[in-house]
Amino acid sequence: ATVTRGATQVGPLAPTLFIEQFGLNPYLNLQYSYQHQKWSITTGFTWMRMGPKYLDLLSSRIDDYSRTYYLVPVLAGYQIPLGKASRIVFQGGVEMGLQNQSVNAFPNQLGMQANIAFGTTIAWKALQRGTRLHFGTMNVSGNPVIDFHHYGLTVFLGVRLWDEARCKARLSKG
């Protein structure tokens, strides 16, 4: 799940007339990591929703500024062993892809998106859990006057389905 909020206010009266709503959004990530000693490069596919909802106090309407993102991350990582079967991995890099929105705030928009991402993963055997910060670098409002960026914190639990290093080790044993 991704906890998100908007980075900038919309209009000069936003602090007094709008209440920002925090919420959980869906997140799906399929990834492949290449590891060499303690270093890794990770890529894959990410599908997520990111962005806030605001409660307009004047009209009692909820404005949805969230968007769906289809991203390809490229992250460099450094891992530190925490024992025989566990490790912690620090990652950083970029996420590039498309953003799509079909909600009341900015209807029917499709555009490019670039995020800067940093995260930490703790792995124990095949289980992985971690966090990732996503910082949107592009204006998602569709209006050059309104500078609106999304950012969010992803908290995830994952399972490693295939480990190339373990497969190579088993093959070399015969």
PDB file of all heavy atoms in Angstrom, residues 13 16-19 55-61:
ATOM      1  N   LEU A  13      -6.166  30.044  -1.105  1.00  0.00           N
ATOM      2  CA  LEU A  13      -7.016  29.800   0.061  1.00  0.00           C
ATOM      3  C   LEU A  13      -6.976  28.354   0.533  1.00  0.00           C
ATOM      4  O   LEU A  13      -7.688  27.986   1.449  1.00  0.00           O
ATOM      5  CB  LEU A  13      -8.468  30.186  -0.264  1.00  0.00           C
ATOM      6  CG  LEU A  13      -8.676  31.640  -0.682  1.00  0.00           C
ATOM      7  CD1 LEU A  13     -10.145  31.869  -1.021  1.00  0.00           C
ATOM      8  CD2 LEU A  13      -8.238  32.585   0.416  1.00  0.00           C
ATOM      9  N   THR A  16      -6.960  27.151   4.345  1.00  0.00           N
ATOM     10  CA  THR A  16      -8.116  27.390   5.200  1.00  0.00           C
ATOM     11  C   THR A  16      -9.406  26.769   4.662  1.00  0.00           C
ATOM     12  O   THR A  16     -10.329  26.549   5.422  1.00  0.00           O
ATOM     13  CB  THR A  16      -8.338  28.900   5.393  1.00  0.00           C
ATOM     14  OG1 THR A  16      -8.494  29.514   4.115  1.00  0.00           O
ATOM     15  CG2 THR A  16      -7.178  29.527   6.129  1.00  0.00           C
ATOM     16  N   LEU A  17      -9.487  26.490   3.382  1.00  0.00           N
ATOM     17  CA  LEU A  17     -10.733  25.994   2.808  1.00  0.00           C
ATOM     18  C   LEU A  17     -10.701  24.509   2.442  1.00  0.00           C
ATOM     19  O   LEU A  17     -11.711  23.946   2.080  1.00  0.00           O
ATOM     20  CB  LEU A  17     -11.106  26.804   1.553  1.00  0.00           C
ATOM     21  CG  LEU A  17     -11.330  28.295   1.795  1.00  0.00           C
ATOM     22  CD1 LEU A  17     -11.673  28.975   0.483  1.00  0.00           C
ATOM     23  CD2 LEU A  17     -12.431  28.516   2.814  1.00  0.00           C
ATOM     24  N   PHE A  18      -9.557  23.876   2.525  1.00  0.00           N
ATOM     25  CA  PHE A  18      -9.442  22.472   2.153  1.00  0.00           C
ATOM     26  C   PHE A  18      -8.796  21.695   3.300  1.00  0.00           C
ATOM     27  O   PHE A  18      -7.882  22.179   3.944  1.00  0.00           O
ATOM     28  CB  PHE A  18      -8.576  22.306   0.904  1.00  0.00           C
ATOM     29  CG  PHE A  18      -9.180  22.913  -0.325  1.00  0.00           C
ATOM     30  CD1 PHE A  18      -8.914  24.227  -0.667  1.00  0.00           C
ATOM     31  CD2 PHE A  18     -10.017  22.172  -1.135  1.00  0.00           C
ATOM     32  CE1 PHE A  18      -9.462  24.791  -1.806  1.00  0.00           C
ATOM     33  CE2 PHE A  18     -10.565  22.717  -2.273  1.00  0.00           C
ATOM     34  CZ  PHE A  18     -10.292  24.031  -2.615  1.00  0.00           C
ATOM     35  N   ILE A  19      -9.270  20.505   3.525  1.00  0.00           N
ATOM     36  CA  ILE A  19      -8.651  19.590   4.477  1.00  0.00           C
ATOM     37  C   ILE A  19      -8.101  18.428   3.671  1.00  0.00           C
ATOM     38  O   ILE A  19      -8.833  17.766   2.943  1.00  0.00           O
ATOM     39  CB  ILE A  19      -9.659  19.079   5.527  1.00  0.00           C
ATOM     40  CG1 ILE A  19     -10.192  20.236   6.351  1.00  0.00           C
ATOM     41  CG2 ILE A  19      -9.002  18.025   6.417  1.00  0.00           C
ATOM     42  CD1 ILE A  19     -11.267  19.827   7.337  1.00  0.00           C
ATOM     43  N   LEU A  55     -10.954  17.504   1.016  1.00  0.00           N
ATOM     44  CA  LEU A  55     -12.330  17.810   1.361  1.00  0.00           C
ATOM     45  C   LEU A  55     -12.499  19.319   1.259  1.00  0.00           C
ATOM     46  O   LEU A  55     -11.861  20.079   1.987  1.00  0.00           O
ATOM     47  CB  LEU A  55     -12.653  17.329   2.775  1.00  0.00           C
ATOM     48  CG  LEU A  55     -14.018  17.722   3.327  1.00  0.00           C
ATOM     49  CD1 LEU A  55     -15.136  17.154   2.450  1.00  0.00           C
ATOM     50  CD2 LEU A  55     -14.168  17.251   4.753  1.00  0.00           C
ATOM     51  N   ASP A  56     -13.324  19.769   0.316  1.00  0.00           N
ATOM     52  CA  ASP A  56     -13.608  21.189   0.111  1.00  0.00           C
ATOM     53  C   ASP A  56     -14.641  21.603   1.149  1.00  0.00           C
ATOM     54  O   ASP A  56     -15.788  21.153   1.121  1.00  0.00           O
ATOM     55  CB  ASP A  56     -14.127  21.406  -1.309  1.00  0.00           C
ATOM     56  CG  ASP A  56     -14.334  22.874  -1.644  1.00  0.00           C
ATOM     57  OD1 ASP A  56     -14.515  23.682  -0.707  1.00  0.00           O
ATOM     58  OD2 ASP A  56     -14.328  23.196  -2.834  1.00  0.00           O
ATOM     59  N   LEU A  57     -14.263  22.459   2.095  1.00  0.00           N
ATOM     60  CA  LEU A  57     -15.150  22.837   3.190  1.00  0.00           C
ATOM     61  C   LEU A  57     -16.320  23.709   2.733  1.00  0.00           C
ATOM     62  O   LEU A  57     -17.355  23.737   3.384  1.00  0.00           O
ATOM     63  CB  LEU A  57     -14.361  23.554   4.279  1.00  0.00           C
ATOM     64  CG  LEU A  57     -13.284  22.709   4.962  1.00  0.00           C
ATOM     65  CD1 LEU A  57     -12.503  23.542   5.969  1.00  0.00           C
ATOM     66  CD2 LEU A  57     -13.893  21.504   5.635  1.00  0.00           C
ATOM     67  N   LEU A  58     -16.150  24.408   1.610  1.00  0.00           N
ATOM     68  CA  LEU A  58     -17.239  25.261   1.125  1.00  0.00           C
ATOM     69  C   LEU A  58     -18.361  24.459   0.477  1.00  0.00           C
ATOM     70  O   LEU A  58     -19.532  24.726   0.684  1.00  0.00           O
ATOM     71  CB  LEU A  58     -16.699  26.297   0.138  1.00  0.00           C
ATOM     72  CG  LEU A  58     -15.718  27.310   0.714  1.00  0.00           C
ATOM     73  CD1 LEU A  58     -15.221  28.245  -0.373  1.00  0.00           C
ATOM     74  CD2 LEU A  58     -16.371  28.108   1.836  1.00  0.00           C
ATOM     75  N   SER A  59     -17.988  23.448  -0.317  1.00  0.00           N
ATOM     76  CA  SER A  59     -19.009  22.674  -1.038  1.00  0.00           C
ATOM     77  C   SER A  59     -19.214  21.283  -0.456  1.00  0.00           C
ATOM     78  O   SER A  59     -20.073  20.547  -0.924  1.00  0.00           O
ATOM     79  CB  SER A  59     -18.621  22.548  -2.511  1.00  0.00           C
ATOM     80  OG  SER A  59     -17.445  21.769  -2.630  1.00  0.00           O
ATOM     81  N   SER A  60     -18.432  20.890   0.541  1.00  0.00           N
ATOM     82  CA  SER A  60     -18.472  19.544   1.136  1.00  0.00           C
ATOM     83  C   SER A  60     -18.219  18.462   0.087  1.00  0.00           C
ATOM     84  O   SER A  60     -18.699  17.350   0.197  1.00  0.00           O
ATOM     85  CB  SER A  60     -19.807  19.284   1.839  1.00  0.00           C
ATOM     86  OG  SER A  60     -19.983  20.197   2.880  1.00  0.00           O
ATOM     87  N   ARG A  61     -17.464  18.807  -0.930  1.00  0.00           N
ATOM     88  CA  ARG A  61     -17.136  17.865  -1.989  1.00  0.00           C
ATOM     89  C   ARG A  61     -15.708  17.367  -1.788  1.00  0.00           C
ATOM     90  O   ARG A  61     -14.831  18.114  -1.358  1.00  0.00           O
ATOM     91  CB  ARG A  61     -17.255  18.565  -3.345  1.00  0.00           C
ATOM     92  CG  ARG A  61     -17.018  17.662  -4.535  1.00  0.00           C
ATOM     93  CD  ARG A  61     -17.073  18.443  -5.827  1.00  0.00           C
ATOM     94  NE  ARG A  61     -15.795  19.146  -5.954  1.00  0.00           N
ATOM     95  CZ  ARG A  61     -15.624  20.317  -6.540  1.00  0.00           C
ATOM     96  NH1 ARG A  61     -16.645  20.961  -7.053  1.00  0.00           N
ATOM     97  NH2 ARG A  61     -14.444  20.880  -6.613  1.00  0.00           N
TER      98      ARG A  61
END
